[in-house]
Each structure stands twice: as C-alpha cells, then as structure tokens.
Amino acid sequence: MGYAVVLGEALVDLLDAECAGRPVFRQEIGGGPLNVAVGVARLGGRVQFVGSLGDDVLADRIRAFLADAGVGLDGTVTVPVATALAVATHCGAEPDFRFYGEPPSYGLLTAGDLDVGLVAGAEVLYCGSIVLLRPAVLAAARRAWSAAGGLRVFDPNVRPRLLDGPAALAGLRATVAEFAAAAHLVRLSTADAELLYPGEPVEGVATYLRELGAATVVVTLGPAGAVVAAAGADPVRVPAPKVRAVDATGAGDSVMGALIADLLVDGEPTDPADWHRRVAFALRVAGLVCETPGGAVAMPTRAEVLRRFAG
C-alpha cells in the first residue's frame, strides 16, 4: 500500500466543557487536516503530515501526538512562533471556532519548504482548509497540487470568522474553483456550500463542482448523511446512521479520512455504486466520532467502526 500526504494546519483546540458546575476549556490537538491525517492512520493507512508547527511546548505535544498516532512528520517545518489556538464553543453538537495567534503557526509553510519528492511519491494528496487563506501556504499547496503523482483530494473547510468581507469570500471561491478543477475528490460540508454558493441546493453545488472538473464531489449533511455526485450518475443522497451525538468536532474530517484510507487500499472507484458504499462507511466513521468528545482523539479504528455498526 502507498501513502497519503495531508497538507494543512495543526493547532490546539480549546473546547468548552464543564467541571464541578463551572465552564472550563479542555485542551485537544486539532486542525481539520490534522484530524484527516489521524483518521487515515487510525483506519490503517500510511500518511505524512505536511505543514508548519511552532517552537513551543504545545507544538511538541502536537508532534508527539501525531507520531503516537502513526502519522509521519517528514514534511513538517518548525517556525519561531507560538502555536495557534482555536477556541471552540458549542450550541448543540456543532462547534463554533475563533482563532488566536498572529502570525498563525500553521500559516508559515512556503513553497520552498515543500518536499516535492514526498508529494510526488504519494498515492493521495490532500489539500485544503484555512491554510489556503495564507498566501505562503497557498503557494505551497499550488506547488504540491502541480507535483502530485497520485489522486488529488480537496476540502475547503471554510471558517467564516477568518473571512474579512466580500473580497475575501470571492478570493476563496476562486481558490476553491482552481483546486476543484483538477481534483479527483472534493468534500465539503453543507455550511461550506451555503457560504460559498448561497441559495444553491447542495445537489446543484455538487453538480457545479463536477462541471468545473472535479471527478467526484461529496457534500456532507450532518445527521442527514451526504450527497454524492460521481461520474456518470446524478447526485444521490446517502443516509447517515442514527447515533447519540455529543460533539461533532472532526466529523467531516473523519469522512475525508475514511475516504482517503479507502483510496489507498482500493484506488479510485470505477462506478457510482462503489462511491456510495464508501461514503456510507465514512458516515459510520463520522457517527462514531460524534459519539465521543474531541476531534482527533475521537478518530476510530476500522475494527471499532465495524463493532459499533455490526448490524
């Protein structure tokens, strides 16, 4: 089996919780792409994380966490700044993130830092998330996208609080179109679709991204499942399992992690039905993540998923 490269951010999440009746923040390793990389590793795939990490104790904890999870660090660089923080509060299961740290530790990877050989040798390359709002990392991602020798996977993972007005949103929309045009798989959430393409139904968004050039598009719908638009077929809704959700942090990332792990094992599906089957499994992974507090720490193994959804 080959390996995947995940290019993106790693940071520390501060998640709201309660202790002795008082509100507190629980520290967890986080970042959407980091969650994806851990998800791939936990499901049995080989994966390398590519990104910039700070030079403090929190960054050391991130490195140790990734190494312990089986995620390679060959593509990471150390930068002389404190580790960025994402403070998450909840209204229900869905988290709302605010980001702290300037310049952000995750936003300092440059095109010159990129290990092109590592990227070119990967079976799957993932790019996306908030690092694409940082010009230096966007240049590195573009270089990786061009150098990729395997399947290209993209996830915009939009965070509205990081968008400074209509011009920033328009710029992000252009970046999404650029990467989607050469992607084998695009995954986005309902929230991403609504922000990027307001007023468009999710099936319409999936079809539009396919028309741009994406081979397959998956739009996750939370507890309603996902819309899958694969070549040669109309968009299809795949239902999610019923779960006891307590924290949706990392759920969408776990869908991407599961899909990448299956791409490493079986390659790109040749028919829509295979995509539907793989997305159904990925939604089970996400369901199990939602039943456990945290993000990356909640990523399950394949055995745990099969045991939880044995029926």
Side-chain angles (χ1 to χ4, degrees), residues 12-102:
V12 169
D13 288 335
L14 298 180
L15 307 177
D16 62 338
E18 188 175 289
C19 179
R22 300 182 63 184
V24 297
F25 282 100
R26 187 180 74 254
Q27 181 187 124
E28 299 287 1
I29 306 301
L34 178 144
N35 292 339
V36 171
V38 173
V40 173
R42 292 279 286 168
L43 291 167
R46 294 173 57 210
V47 58
Q48 292 280 345
F49 181 78
V50 173
S52 56
L53 299 175
D55 63 353
D56 56 6
V57 171
L58 294 181
D60 291 341
R61 291 175 184 172
I62 291 173
R63 291 183 184 89
F65 178 84
L66 287 171
D68 187 60
V71 176
L73 296 167
D74 293 348
T76 61
V77 298
T78 300
V79 293
V81 298
T83 297
L85 303 176
V87 178
T89 54
H90 287 77
C91 181
E94 291 290 337
D96 173 39
F97 288 97
R98 289 179 181 261
F99 296 86
Y100 297 86
E102 188 60 40

Side-chain angles (χ1 to χ4, degrees), residues 2-307:
Y3 65 91
V5 162
V6 172
L7 188 155
E9 74 267 11
L11 40 74
V12 169
D13 288 335
L14 298 180
L15 307 177
D16 62 338
E18 188 175 289
C19 179
R22 300 182 63 184
V24 297
F25 282 100
R26 187 180 74 254
Q27 181 187 124
E28 299 287 1
I29 306 301
L34 178 144
N35 292 339
V36 171
V38 173
V40 173
R42 292 279 286 168
L43 291 167
R46 294 173 57 210
V47 58
Q48 292 280 345
F49 181 78
V50 173
S52 56
L53 299 175
D55 63 353
D56 56 6
V57 171
L58 294 181
D60 291 341
R61 291 175 184 172
I62 291 173
R63 291 183 184 89
F65 178 84
L66 287 171
D68 187 60
V71 176
L73 296 167
D74 293 348
T76 61
V77 298
T78 300
V79 293
V81 298
T83 297
L85 303 176
V87 178
T89 54
H90 287 77
C91 181
E94 291 290 337
D96 173 39
F97 288 97
R98 289 179 181 261
F99 296 86
Y100 297 86
E102 188 60 40
S105 56
Y106 59 75
L108 300 175
L109 181 78
T110 69
D113 294 326
L114 189 72
D115 186 336
V116 176
L118 183 71
V119 172
E123 294 288 331
V124 181
L125 168 67
Y126 164 105
C127 288
S129 200
I130 62 176
V131 293
L132 300 185
L133 298 175
R134 311 298 301 192
V137 192
L138 178 57
R142 284 173 170 151
R143 188 179 187 198
W145 211 239
S146 297
L151 300 174
R152 291 179 294 273
V153 174
F154 178 70
D155 182 353
N157 195 29
V158 181
R159 297 300 183 205
R161 294 191 183 279
L162 292 177
L163 296 174
D164 185 18
L169 177 57
L172 177 59
R173 193 177 290 121
T175 299
V176 170
E178 174 189 345
F179 280 82
H184 295 86
L185 171 64
V186 175
R187 199 289 304 188
L188 67 165
S189 68
T190 306
D192 295 336
E194 290 175 348
L195 183 68
L196 290 167
Y197 313 105
E200 287 292 324
V202 290
E203 285 85 357
V205 171
T207 299
Y208 168 70
L209 292 173
R210 284 214 62 249
E211 290 172 348
L212 287 178
T216 300
V217 179
V218 176
V219 184
T220 51
L221 311 174
V227 166
V228 183
D234 293 331
V236 170
R237 292 205 172 209
V238 177
K242 301 296 183 183
V243 298
R244 301 176 295 275
V246 296
D247 185 356
T249 304
D253 304 327
S254 72
V255 169
M256 184 59 92
L259 293 176
I260 292 174
D262 279 354
L263 289 173
L264 288 174
V265 174
D266 295 321
E268 191 175 16
T270 57
D271 63 83
D274 194 14
W275 271 117
H276 303 160
R277 178 187 60 79
R278 295 193 195 188
V279 170
F281 174 77
L283 292 173
R284 295 187 187 101
V285 174
L288 189 49
V289 167
C290 288
E291 291 186 331
T292 307
V297 295
M299 298 295 163
T301 64
R302 198 170 294 268
E304 288 169 341
V305 177
L306 296 176
R307 186 162 55 247

